[in-house]
Each structure stands twice: as C-alpha cells, then as structure tokens.
Amino acid sequence: MAQPKRLSLYSETELESKAPVGFPSSCPTLDLSTTWDAADKNLFIYRPPCQAVSKIHQAGAPGTQSSEVVTVTWKPDVCGGTNANISRIGWATCNVASKSPGDLLIQSKDGIFTNTTTSDDNLPRNLPQELTFLEVDTALPKVSPLPTSSAGADDDATVFTLRTGIEFLFQPPKREEYEQVNVMIVGTDDGKLQLNIYDSFLIGTFPSPVSESSNMPPYMISHAAHPHLSTHALVFAHTQTEPEFLHLVPMDLPFISSSPINLCLLASKLTTLQKLLRYIKQTQLHMQVEWKNTRELPTRFLRSVQGDLEELPSGPRSIVPALYHTVVTGHAYGPVREWLVDSLAERGHKRWDKAVVSGLENLRSLVHENFLPALERCAIILSRLRGLVQFYDDRDDIGYSATQTSRLLDIIACLSLVGHKILSNVMDELEHFNAFSTWLRLQIDRQASSTTTADELTEKEATMDTSKVLTYIESYLTHSPLDVYFDQVSEEDRQADLDHIEDGVGIFRILDAQLKKQESGQASRKALQHVDFLVSYVTTCSSRMFKDIAEATKRSVRFGKAVKLSIGQPITQMDTQICHTSGNASCPEVSHLDSK
C-alpha cells in the first residue's frame, strides 16, 4: 500500500497580534505573509521568523474614521525588487496617484486598493552610496589608549598607548574617497612584485613576470598608471643605472572595476578589523600583566609563612585554615602571629593592599574601557561584512563567505562573554579583598599592641562584615576565580581544545557549558576560557579570511607578455607614462623617452 504523502514544514512565522478572519495571507512565490492589526490600524508584512518587512498604517483625515483593511490578495507574478513604491487607486474614480507594477493588493472598507513592492530588472543590483558607507562606529565612544604602565616594548605596545596614534589608525573613510581606490605596487630586488590595496591590505606577492635564464633576474625600476585605467605599465631592468635594455610589462588589475563590493569600503573595514585585533591582543597582554601584579606579591608573603605552619606539631598546615581559625576564634597560632608582626607588619600590608587594589582596578578599567568596546567594534564590522556577502551572494569572486564571518562573530561573542565574566569576578574580588584588607590591618595592630588596645580593636572587628573576610580567605586568598582566564596552560591542553572546536561546532555554546561546569566545581576544559587562547584563535581565523580575500583578488591579476626594448646602447635617461591619444580618450598608449 502506497504511503500517504505528507506536507513538510517550509517555514514558520510568529505574529505579534492576533490575526483576524482571512489573515494571515501568504505570498505564493516568496516567503512573506501579511496580517492586519485592527487595534493599531496597521498592516504588517512579515518574513520568518518574526521580522516585519513593512508596516502600513491606515490613517484617516482629521475628523474622520480611518479605513480598515478587510482583505488582501497577492498577485501571482510577484517578484522581489530593489525599489518599493506604493500606489493608491480610487475604487470609484480610478484616479491613480502613482502607478507601478506591484504584487500586493489591499482592499479596505472605503474602496481603496493599495499596490506595493515593485521591481525593475534593468536596475543594477547595488546598494545606495549613503547606505553602503553608513558608519555606525561614529556613534560609539572613541577607542581609548592603553595605559603606559603595563605596556610592552614592541611598536604596537607603543602606538596604542598614544591618543595621536589611536586617532591616526582608526580613521573612517572620507566622503571624497568613496569612489577612489589606491593601489601600491612594490618591486623587490629579486624581481618579485608585492601588491597592496592602499598601503595596508596585502593582496599577495607575484613572481617576476620577466622570464630570463640569467642568475640575476631583472627587477622593477619604473611604474606608470592612469586614474581611468586598470592597467599599469611596469618597466624591468637588470640595473637602475644605464641598463642595456628594458622589459615593458603590462599589469592589469580588473578587480578595481569588477569587484561587487566597493573596494574603498572593503579595504577600510578589513584594515580596521586588523588594527582592532592588534589592539585587542595588546589589551590582553596588559590584562595579563595586571593579573600577575595582583598575585605575585601576595604569593610571596604567603609563601614566607607556609614553611613554619608545616612544622607545627598540631594545628593547621596551611595559611587558609590558619587565618580562617583566627577570624572565627580570634586566636592566632604562633607562626601566624610572628608573620603578622615581623614579616608582614604595617609596611608589608600597605604594599599588599596597593598591589591587589591597583591591579584589580586597572584590570577592571582595561576590560570596561578597552577590551569590551573593541570587541563591539569588531562585531559591527563583521556584521557589515556578513551583510555585504549575503547581499552579493550570487558572486563567487568576493573571497569570503557568510560562514566565515559568522564563525568570527561566534568567537567575538565568546570573548565578550569571558570579558563580562572577568569584570564580574574582578568586582567581587575587589569587594571581598577590601574587607579582608581591613581585617588584616586590625590583626596586625592587635597582635603588636597591648591588651587595652586589643580590646578596642575587638570592638572595631564587631562592626566588620566577617562573612566577606571568610569568603576571601576561602575562595580568593591562594587561588582566584580569575586564574582560569589568565594562568598557564599546557600545550597539550591548548591543542586538545583547538582540535575540539575546529570540528565546526558552535564555540559559544561549548564555552558557556564549560564555564558553568567550572563554576560548579566540575572538570572542564583548560584552555577554552583563556583570553590568550581566544584572542589567538580569532586572530588565526581572521587571518584565514584575509588570506582568502587576498587570494580571490590575486587570481584576477593578469600580466601581459614582456616586451624587450633597446636602443643599441646604454640607456641613461628614461620616463614612463600612460597617456590618452587625441583621437580616442579611452584608448591608452605607453610612451617612453629614452636617450643617451
């Protein structure tokens, strides 16, 4: 017996209001549906899952009741277009306010038909310039310079600490440069050519276009171009002074005119993304330094008393239960008392307090003012790049895919999650340390003072939040929750986590699950939540995308056959130009002036 045919679910759309009788009405050819909101007099056109494509409000003249839509009909030959016009046709008079072919007919109670969504196949599929270069970044706060106190020694560590350097690196494209593309061609001594868009985005390196069997290949000594042409003229020679002959090579760059995405926009976004990733890397290094500052000095102080506690015949064998005992009972074991009075004392406490408080506050500022804002800018750029590649999804010469940008956005989301976790832990640790530091200072004064003063200090201790002191001793003193984001991880653990996420699984969900396991005390992965690991991973994935874009652009570059030029004697002077002929302005010619 034949199995009955079942309908499969094509899509699902959620409506914000209850649909009246006859609604929703689905489009026969596009995944669109329309419904009527009688309460607010709005006609909505939705696409899955719950996105309003259009909202048409029915408003009546002053003193009259607004019309109400009773039925909607989709024309069977509907097709999506680049422009959307609305035509209103009077039912009685047939007067047309604006006429255009459309797809949706809406009938209201007063006899008005509305015709929406038109298409013009003759128009090129392109974005308006104002929409293409809409800069959301200008609404965000400026990128903040990094502190100089924890900077390294390389160039990035220096340039990102200067306001002038930040403003120079992060410049939005100017309006007069929207239709301009600057290409830089660099010739090397071994005859190779390096091609860059502007001076920052490397397209690739090409072998010498002049094929000779000599041990010393000719190299580029002159270059000429014209702003109206995509073909450049390159001149090669074995020496720059008095060469015997020259090689003229045409180099065509068709991507300048054929690229579907505006090259000025693409180059600007890609180079800005590269700079932001360098900025994030430097911020991560600063965060690492500040975290170390909060742990190194306290660790040395605690290590100095650990040996004495281990030699006790009875009692606690480590500093955590020893201090816990002192907080609860008020009694201090001998090694703890000597440590508080002789080793730590007032001077050591001030150093401890300054190291931890300044380190945590600096770490908080780095995450809040530098790390998270830079991640937001990266997410905006990647969203723009993903939107562009989705808009031009019918082109195969863009060089990157929506999958790549979505993967990078997933990693950026992981870094944002880790950043917020660090910020929350820093605030908690700072709050608990302030209570512990106050208690520690009271204990130092108490152990070094007379009995009368000790009684007064005990009264001060009665007003202290002892629960925070105990929590700090138990959860923060020797091991901080921040350690899982900054401490050392073995290469085996890094490689294991890298192999796991390289399978194409959603990294954000994995990280979220691992953080929950770690917070509950369960076994979790070691490297996945590390800032250094995630920053390195997003840098690696973005480098792959940059390489793919460069390779797609590089494949379109064409070299013509080299033409050997000679005047029978050494050439002492030479000039290369691409000029227009007087007869046809679109026909270029290459002229040389060679003389002895």
Side-chain angles (χ1 to χ4, degrees):
M1 181 177 179
Q3 294 292 333
K5 294 183 178 180
R6 299 182 181 274
L7 296 177
S8 59
L9 180 63
Y10 177 69
S11 66
E12 183 177 355
T13 302
E14 297 180 7
L15 306 179
E16 296 181 356
S17 60
K18 181 179 179 180
V21 178
F23 293 91
S25 177
S26 298
C27 175
T29 55
L30 292 179
D31 197 4
L32 299 173
S33 60
T34 180
T35 186
W36 169 248
D37 182 10
D40 297 328
K41 306 296 183 183
N42 293 321
L43 184 76
F44 289 94
I45 300 177
Y46 285 96
R47 66 181 174 190
C50 184
Q51 183 177 4
V53 178
S54 178
K55 173 184 174 183
I56 305 172
H57 180 64
Q58 300 292 323
T64 62
Q65 187 177 3
S66 60
S67 59
E68 184 175 352
V69 175
V70 294
T71 184
V72 170
T73 302
W74 292 88
K75 293 180 65 176
D77 57 345
V78 56
C79 60
T82 57
N83 57 337
N85 298 325
I86 296 178
S87 301
R88 295 186 178 273
I89 305 175
W91 177 258
T93 61
C94 292
N95 292 329
V96 180
S98 60
K99 184 178 180 181
S100 60
D103 56 49
L104 180 61
L105 296 177
I106 309 166
Q107 182 183 3
S108 56
K109 287 184 177 180
D110 59 355
I112 300 294
F113 277 83
T114 303
N115 194 12
T116 68
T117 310
T118 67
S119 65
D120 188 351
D121 295 334
N122 296 325
L123 292 177
R125 189 183 184 191
N126 205 349
L127 290 171
Q129 188 182 82
E130 292 298 327
L131 181 60
T132 300
F133 289 92
L134 180 63
E135 291 295 335
V136 184
D137 302 10
T138 56
L140 299 175
K142 292 184 177 180
V143 179
S144 301
L146 294 170
T148 57
S149 58
S150 53
D154 58 352
D155 293 337
D156 281 355
T158 303
V159 70
F160 288 127
T161 60
L162 304 174
R163 168 57 66 184
T164 54
I166 293 288
E167 292 178 352
F168 175 77
L169 289 175
F170 298 103
Q171 297 183 47
K174 300 177 182 178
R175 179 177 292 273
E176 58 270 17
E177 299 175 352
Y178 285 175
E179 300 300 331
Q180 297 180 6
V181 180
N182 296 325
V183 176
M184 182 174 67
I185 302 174
V186 180
T188 59
D189 293 339
D190 56 358
K192 295 181 180 179
L193 297 174
Q194 187 183 86
L195 178 63
N196 297 266
I197 297 181
Y198 295 91
D199 58 351
S200 52
F201 188 74
L202 176 64
I203 298 300
T205 302
F206 300 86
S208 176
V210 180
S211 57
E212 281 197 354
S213 58
S214 60
N215 295 330
M216 295 180 58
Y219 57 90
M220 187 177 71
I221 63 171
S222 182
H223 165 269
H226 194 279
H228 295 163
L229 299 174
S230 62
T231 302
H232 293 230
L234 312 180
V235 179
F236 286 74
H238 287 90
T239 177
Q240 197 164 3
T241 58
E242 299 187 3
E244 293 289 340
F245 49 85
L246 306 174
H247 296 275
L248 176 63
V249 180
M251 180 182 184
D252 189 35
L253 309 176
F255 63 85
I256 294 178
S257 57
S258 64
S259 175
I261 303 177
N262 185 286
L263 282 179
C264 177
L265 174 68
L266 183 62
S268 173
K269 295 305 175 186
L270 292 177
T271 53
T272 302
L273 182 60
Q274 287 176 324
K275 296 168 187 175
L276 283 172
L277 292 175
R278 289 163 49 197
Y279 178 86
I280 290 173
K281 178 61 179 179
Q282 290 300 316
T283 306
Q284 176 257 318
L285 295 176
H286 283 254
M287 293 164 60
Q288 191 81 21
V289 170
E290 297 298 344
W291 170 78
K292 288 183 178 179
N293 291 340
T294 64
R295 306 307 303 175
E296 287 182 349
L297 184 62
T299 301
R300 290 202 301 267
F301 280 132
L302 296 175
R303 192 183 299 119
S304 64
V305 71
Q306 183 63 36
D308 295 336
L309 288 172
E310 292 176 354
E311 295 176 358
L312 284 177
S314 62
R317 293 294 188 272
S318 65
I319 189 62
V320 172
L323 291 181
Y324 202 98
H325 170 82
T326 304
V327 175
V328 174
T329 65
H331 169 263
Y333 287 93
V336 175
R337 188 183 306 109
E338 294 176 1
W339 174 67
L340 290 172
V341 176
D342 300 332
S343 299
L344 192 59
E346 180 181 353
R347 182 172 178 270
H349 171 263
K350 288 182 178 179
R351 292 174 58 201
W352 188 340
D353 184 86
K354 182 179 180 181
V356 175
V357 172
S358 62
L360 290 175
E361 288 180 346
N362 292 339
L363 183 57
R364 178 182 60 187
S365 299
L366 284 168
V367 175
H368 180 66
E369 300 175 9
N370 305 99
F371 190 66
L372 293 178
L375 292 175
E376 291 176 357
R377 289 177 175 269
C378 287
I380 291 174
I381 292 176
L382 289 169
S383 298
R384 173 75 70 89
L385 293 175
R386 183 174 62 179
L388 289 171
V389 75
Q390 288 175 340
F391 184 80
Y392 298 104
D393 58 350
D394 57 337
R395 298 290 296 264
D396 57 357
D397 56 347
I398 297 178
Y400 70 99
S401 63
T403 303
Q404 287 178 303
T405 53
S406 297
R407 182 68 171 178
L408 288 171
L409 282 169
D410 200 25
I411 306 173
I412 293 296
C414 292
L415 283 167
S416 298
L417 175 61
V418 168
H420 283 93
K421 290 286 186 181
I422 292 174
L423 193 60
S424 177
N425 287 328
V426 166
M427 298 295 291
D428 290 341
E429 184 168 345
L430 188 59
E431 180 182 3
H432 286 83
F433 176 78
N434 287 330
F436 170 76
S437 179
T438 303
W439 172 84
L440 189 63
R441 176 58 188 271
L442 292 176
Q443 290 301 314
I444 293 173
D445 294 341
R446 178 182 180 182
Q447 299 299 330
S449 64
S450 62
T451 305
T452 305
T453 309
D455 294 338
E456 295 176 358
L457 293 175
T458 303
E459 294 176 2
K460 294 180 181 179
E461 286 182 296
T463 61
M464 187 185 306
D465 192 348
T466 310
S467 62
K468 291 183 179 179
V469 179
L470 294 174
T471 301
Y472 184 84
I473 294 174
E474 188 177 15
S475 304
Y476 297 94
L477 184 61
T478 57
H479 297 90
S480 169
L482 294 172
D483 295 349
V484 298
Y485 305 107
F486 296 107
D487 61 356
Q488 295 293 329
V489 179
S490 65
E491 190 61 32
E492 292 78 8
D493 291 332
R494 293 177 66 94
Q495 190 61 43
D497 288 1
L498 183 62
D499 294 340
H500 181 67
I501 61 178
E502 281 287 274
D503 294 337
V505 294
I507 182 175
F508 182 82
R509 293 184 178 180
I510 297 177
L511 176 63
D512 187 38
Q514 294 301 316
L515 288 176
K516 290 179 180 178
K517 287 183 178 180
Q518 185 268 326
E519 291 172 356
S520 61
Q522 303 179 30
S524 61
R525 295 187 174 274
K526 303 294 184 181
L528 190 58
Q529 61 267 29
H530 267 245
V531 184
D532 176 40
F533 176 83
L534 290 173
V535 170
S536 299
Y537 187 56
V538 73
T539 303
T540 301
C541 292
S542 60
S543 298
R544 295 173 187 168
M545 186 181 73
F546 298 149
K547 182 180 179 181
D548 291 344
I549 297 174
E551 287 294 332
T553 307
K554 183 179 178 181
R555 284 194 296 267
S556 67
V557 178
R558 297 291 182 267
F559 290 93
K561 185 178 180 180
V563 178
K564 189 174 182 179
L565 303 175
S566 176
I567 59 175
Q569 54 186 329
I571 302 171
T572 57
Q573 293 182 0
M574 179 196 66
D575 182 36
T576 309
Q577 293 182 354
I578 295 183
C579 55
H580 286 162
T581 61
S582 57
N584 188 354
S586 63
C587 181
E589 65 176 11
V590 180
S591 62
H592 295 269
L593 177 61
D594 303 337
S595 63
K596 184 175 179 180

